[in-house]
Amino acid sequence: MSFLIDSSIMVTSQVLFFGFGWLFFMRQLFKDYEVRQYVVQVIFSVTFAFSCTMFELIIFEILGVLNSSSRYFHWKLNLCVILLILVFMVPFYIGYFVVSNIRLLHRQKLLFACLLWLTFMYFFWKLGDPFPILSPKHGILSIEQLISRVGVIGVTLMALLSGFGAVNCPYTYMSYFLRNVTDADILALERRLLQTMDMIVSKKKRIAVAHRTMFQRGEVHNKPTGFWGMIKSVTTSVAGSENLSLIQQEVDALEELSRQLFLETADLHATKERIEYSKTFQGKYFNVLGYFFSIYCVWKIFMATINIVFDRVGKTDPVTRGIEITVNYLGIQFDVKFWSQHISFILVGIIIVTSIRGLLITLTKFFYAISSSKSSNVIVLLLAQIMGMYFVSSVLLIRMSMPLEYRTIITEVLGELQFNFYHRWFDVIFLVSALSSILFLYLAHKQAPEKHMAL
Amino acid sequence: MAALDRVKVLVLGDSGVGKSSLVHLLCQNQMLGNPSWTVGCSVDVRIHDYKEGTPEEKTYYIELWDVGGSVGSATSVKSTRAVFYNLLNGIILVHDLTNKKSSQNLYRWSLEALNRDVAPAGVLVTNGDYDREQFADNQIPLLVIGTKLDQIPETKRNEVLTRTAFLAEDFNAEEINLDCTNPRYLAAGSSNAVKLSRFFDKVSFSTDSVWVVLGEQVRLPEILPKAQGSSEPLK
């Protein structure tokens, strides 16, 4: 009986999460596009719903809500479904939509989609070989095998995003790094852009006139097609067409220049907006926040290095350690069990909420930046895949932040994964990502003012 | 080139509707072999015989400025794009017949271009919402072109064409529906070609008008004989 009640609660919450994912998709991600394939929207919402349910189960574990056995059952069920989606459905649909965009392979869409999926599975499997994640006594298609590989990919993604985010966040918040852009700079660049466009226009007018006169005179200017055409064009060439091809080359070069100028102008406009924003109250607040974040970032890099160099993985979670410190050093006595439950609930809750929110915002920004009406389906599915893997691996890593008694369910369900490996792997990738982002941002920052000095 | 002879027509629309293919078709009479993303703005030139066959025949170079990007771009990109909206003579609004959102976004595109042009002092005429009266007294000729006609099955064609007819009416503009990969839609003598030619005539005619600058950078058209030169509005 209690199992039924528990299941109905779980199902209700899943439906709620599904609805939220659906709304997010429609209002935020796809607000400029038309949803033609509802499959994509359904898959995205389902992935989101099941990922959130996993977090919900962790919270329930800490708070002790619901029956223990029904929690365990739902964990297993949830995990199976999520793995099914991440390993089978989403990659297959990604392959299917990629193939539908290519005109040549239109006929055998399904066939090529299956081929792509098989290639994906092969590489996905091979991924597990170099990592010491599994003891070899498990079967081929067990949950542990799949989760271990998904975990590796997810943890890599998390560490990359964390590293880049940790460095980029203070860089964007702090106004110290803002380049000085004046209105005069922007006007000068815009004038150059318009001048380039005018030059392109005048050259194209000449080409158009030349084409017209040739057409009127009865010579049809055919571009040399095929092998013999090219050979012929070497020996016999009309004087006019030589001139034309020269002008055409100049036009191509000018068009490339105009594109560069356009991008630079957009960049300058964006910087000017940021300068204006930093003068407002909100901007100043973010500026101060940026200083704190930079300290946090430096500390994290330092800790990651220490972890790797001294080969140490934290055994106790921050909650228990914090309580130990307060009890032992500060002498404050309080009910350890009661408080550890609530504090870990709050801590884990904050981690979960910020990571979901952060991921959704990053995904949205990413989506706006790179999608177009043709590729929007593929990109959304890729984002759903990333989201699923990200959430699965955050479950793996969150285990470290919870006191021992709450870790049992994760350890029980996920089997004998080498959790320590994941933390080590996270530290390594985080370090690499943070250092390379620092290098990248430094180079980009150095290069930009030099470009504008040359104006 | 004397400022009098410049005829500038903007080609606006969502990304992926086929603006670059359309411009290529209009200027080179050929299909565009390898369409790729337009970054910034690409220009092409079409030679148009104004009032062909009459004694007042004049040849104009019509510059088609194909501005890339989406209507929901960041403000910085919009401000950069705005630099191309100066001195307009006409606007071609392109939408994808298979994608309703691209037709709806045309309202925002036209507001973006017209607001920039009408009020260079930075005062917005509307609050961003579509206002039909604004298009009623708009001086700049508009043309609505729907692309990818071949991808619409025969059964759905009627309802799509009715919808686009309403759209064109809202803009007080003519409409053409075609497939950019097929030059026969614009074959000489077809109704599409006639509409196109009429639009370009209207656009060329408006350059004969002279823009006079008053104190607050408001422009009024004054029809004067061709001998006068035009003055550019102060920035």
Side-chain angles (χ1 to χ4, degrees):
Chain A
M1 188 56 214
S2 68
F3 180 70
L4 278 175
I5 300 179
D6 293 344
S7 303
S8 55
I9 297 179
M10 290 305 300
V11 169
T12 326
S13 57
Q14 273 174 351
V15 167
L16 275 173
F17 288 133
F18 180 84
F20 183 75
W22 187 273
L23 273 176
F24 173 76
F25 184 92
M26 260 197 341
R27 294 291 172 79
Q28 287 280 82
L29 280 186
F30 253 50
K31 66 175 182 186
D32 284 333
Y33 301 104
E34 189 179 285
V35 182
R36 231 101 52 83
Q37 309 271 14
Y38 278 101
V39 171
V40 175
Q41 197 168 359
V42 165
I43 291 183
F44 184 85
S45 312
V46 163
T47 318
F48 184 75
F50 278 101
S51 316
C52 287
T53 321
M54 274 198 307
F55 286 129
E56 194 193 11
L57 281 169
I58 295 184
I59 298 274
F60 283 172
E61 183 69 29
I62 296 181
L63 287 182
V65 177
L66 301 189
N67 210 347
S68 168
S69 57
S70 52
R71 276 202 305 253
Y72 181 71
F73 169 77
H74 278 285
W75 255 115
K76 275 252 162 182
L77 177 69
N78 218 343
L79 223 45
C80 287
V81 172
I82 265 227
L83 282 177
L84 200 76
I85 296 178
L86 284 182
V87 176
F88 294 104
M89 280 186 68
V90 179
F92 174 74
Y93 272 110
I94 291 180
Y96 180 76
F97 282 115
V98 164
V99 167
S100 356
N101 270 342
I102 307 177
R103 266 191 187 185
L104 288 168
L105 308 171
H106 232 264
R107 302 287 173 86
Q108 273 98 1
K109 267 197 273 201
L110 274 174
L111 181 65
F112 281 105
C114 287
L115 277 176
L116 271 176
W117 181 77
L118 285 170
T119 333
F120 165 77
M121 279 307 286
Y122 175 73
F123 282 113
F124 184 69
W125 211 256
K126 279 289 172 194
L127 192 64
D129 290 343
F131 295 112
I133 32 183
L134 246 288
S135 40
K137 56 183 177 175
H138 289 274
I140 281 286
L141 230 85
S142 61
I143 289 190
E144 284 84 6
Q145 292 271 3
L146 294 176
I147 280 242
S148 59
R149 286 169 170 80
V150 169
V152 168
I153 302 180
V155 165
T156 317
L157 276 171
M158 273 185 83
L160 281 175
L161 282 179
S162 282
F164 181 69
V167 172
N168 195 32
C169 178
Y171 181 74
T172 37
Y173 283 176
M174 284 167 37
S175 47
Y176 174 75
F177 294 114
L178 277 184
R179 298 193 299 276
N180 216 359
V181 170
T182 59
D183 279 342
D185 292 335
I186 298 185
L187 275 180
L189 207 57
E190 282 180 355
R191 202 171 301 136
R192 265 187 78 187
L193 178 59
L194 285 178
Q195 274 173 359
T196 318
M197 300 304 294
D198 287 345
M199 288 202 289
I200 296 179
V201 165
S202 59
K203 291 204 196 294
K204 288 226 164 156
K205 283 181 185 170
R206 282 166 62 185
I207 298 182
V209 163
H211 275 166
R212 193 180 211 200
T213 44
M214 285 202 311
F215 184 70
Q216 280 171 347
R217 264 192 261 143
E219 311 159 16
V220 183
H221 175 68
N222 276 324
K223 282 215 182 76
T225 50
F227 188 60
W228 291 115
M230 280 202 295
I231 303 272
K232 248 199 280 183
S233 69
V234 169
T235 49
T236 63
S237 57
V238 189
S241 73
E242 263 181 13
N243 212 359
L244 272 188
S245 59
L246 200 64
I247 303 184
Q248 184 63 42
Q249 279 176 0
E250 290 173 17
V251 165
D252 290 337
L254 282 175
E255 282 184 336
E256 187 59 45
L257 178 64
S258 78
R259 280 192 277 268
Q260 299 280 10
L261 287 175
F262 180 81
L263 291 175
E264 273 181 45
T265 318
D267 199 34
L268 282 192
H269 273 286
T271 315
K272 181 169 159 224
E273 262 174 45
R274 278 180 55 196
I275 294 180
E276 279 173 22
Y277 179 72
S278 73
K279 296 193 183 129
T280 66
F281 189 61
Q282 249 187 334
K284 293 204 173 108
Y285 164 72
F286 275 114
N287 190 21
V288 170
L289 213 62
Y291 282 104
F292 281 119
F293 273 125
S294 55
I295 298 178
Y296 172 72
C297 166
V298 168
W299 181 75
K300 272 207 90 160
I301 294 182
F302 182 62
M303 288 307 292
T305 327
I306 298 262
N307 280 343
I308 297 175
V309 167
F310 291 118
D311 195 22
R312 133 203 125 97
V313 184
K315 292 287 179 198
T316 54
D317 57 292
V319 179
T320 319
R321 194 132 46 88
I323 292 183
E324 271 174 18
I325 294 178
T326 46
V327 167
N328 292 340
Y329 293 110
L330 298 182
I332 302 178
Q333 297 286 346
F334 52 89
D335 188 357
V336 175
K337 205 151 178 265
F338 174 75
W339 280 108
S340 85
Q341 182 186 34
H342 279 79
I343 293 180
S344 50
F345 161 67
I346 294 177
L347 183 71
V348 169
I350 292 180
I351 293 179
I352 290 175
V353 167
T354 45
S355 71
I356 293 183
R357 182 178 169 275
L359 183 73
L360 286 182
I361 291 181
T362 316
L363 289 187
T364 319
K365 268 198 265 189
F366 204 60
F367 183 73
Y368 284 163
I370 63 176
S371 80
S372 76
S373 52
K374 268 181 106 180
S375 59
S376 53
N377 285 334
V378 173
I379 294 186
V380 163
L381 285 176
L382 275 173
L383 293 183
Q385 176 91 350
I386 291 178
M387 180 174 70
M389 292 191 168
Y390 187 93
F391 286 152
V392 166
S393 23
S394 24
V395 165
L396 287 180
L397 293 181
I398 237 181
R399 185 181 156 276
M400 195 46 87
S401 313
M402 303 200 303
L404 272 169
E405 57 260 35
Y406 305 123
R407 291 187 197 175
T408 47
I409 193 169
I410 301 186
T411 331
E412 224 179 284
V413 169
L414 294 182
E416 292 173 24
L417 289 182
Q418 306 274 37
F419 289 103
N420 293 339
F421 163 75
Y422 287 108
H423 287 280
R424 176 56 30 78
W425 184 246
F426 181 89
D427 284 330
V428 169
I429 301 282
F430 176 82
L431 200 63
V432 167
S433 161
L435 290 178
S436 40
S437 323
I438 291 181
L439 185 69
F440 171 73
L441 283 177
Y442 175 73
L443 285 177
H445 189 73
K446 267 309 263 310
Q447 197 200 31
E450 281 165 3
K451 260 199 291 190
H452 298 302
M453 289 307 166
L455 277 183
Chain B
M1 297 274 166
L4 185 61
D5 280 333
R6 288 200 78 163
V7 182
K8 178 167 156 185
V9 174
L10 268 192
V11 179
L12 294 179
D14 279 352
S15 66
V17 297
K19 298 186 295 290
S20 307
S21 307
L22 175 71
V23 167
H24 198 261
L25 182 66
L26 288 178
C27 300
Q28 320 276 359
N29 284 322
Q30 278 178 350
M31 173 179 138
L32 180 60
N34 53 338
S36 67
W37 235 307
T38 320
V39 175
C41 174
S42 88
V43 193
D44 216 340
V45 171
R46 177 181 163 107
I47 298 184
H48 176 68
D49 295 313
Y50 175 56
K51 291 206 172 146
E52 197 168 1
T54 66
E56 297 156 354
E57 178 171 342
K58 188 171 186 234
T59 313
Y60 278 105
Y61 298 102
I62 302 200
E63 305 163 22
L64 293 166
W65 290 56
D66 160 20
V67 176
S70 80
V71 73
S73 293
T75 334
S76 59
V77 178
K78 282 195 188 167
S79 330
T80 324
R81 273 208 299 253
V83 98
F84 298 126
Y85 298 160
N86 283 327
L87 302 175
L88 282 186
N89 295 114
I91 306 183
I92 298 184
L93 296 166
V94 187
H95 66 114
D96 186 348
L97 290 170
T98 61
N99 185 347
K100 267 195 229 161
K101 228 10 183 333
S102 66
S103 324
Q104 287 165 5
N105 283 337
L106 284 185
Y107 297 110
R108 291 161 70 183
W109 273 116
S110 51
L111 279 179
E112 192 181 318
L114 292 177
N115 274 337
R116 178 66 176 85
D117 208 279
V118 168
V123 175
L124 280 181
V125 180
T126 69
N127 61 353
D129 288 326
Y130 164 59
D131 181 4
R132 198 189 248 227
E133 277 90 57
Q134 207 198 2
F135 289 106
D137 65 351
N138 171 38
Q139 303 274 20
I140 300 180
L142 298 173
L143 177 68
V144 176
I145 296 192
T147 55
K148 306 196 189 166
L149 182 63
D150 55 324
Q151 289 179 21
I152 304 216
E154 287 291 340
T155 46
K156 292 234 179 120
R157 235 167 240 214
N158 270 332
E159 66 172 85
V160 168
L161 292 179
T162 351
R163 174 169 60 87
T164 56
F166 279 127
L167 183 75
E169 223 183 275
D170 279 343
F171 286 114
N172 202 17
E174 294 267 10
E175 67 148 352
I176 296 179
N177 294 316
L178 48 64
D179 166 23
C180 297
T181 60
N182 198 339
R184 77 173 169 87
Y185 280 96
L186 292 176
S190 65
S191 66
N192 285 340
V194 170
K195 285 188 206 169
L196 199 63
S197 180
R198 260 212 306 259
F199 172 72
F200 284 135
D201 279 346
K202 260 198 279 186
V203 164
S204 317
F205 173 71
S206 68
T207 59
D208 286 351
S209 349
V210 170
W211 300 100
V212 171
V213 179
L214 296 183
E216 284 306 304
Q217 299 187 19
V218 171
R219 305 194 300 186
L220 291 178
E222 265 189 35
I223 313 292
L224 291 177
K226 273 191 212 168
Q228 303 241 352
S230 69
S231 55
E232 288 190 3
L234 295 169
K235 275 247 163 126

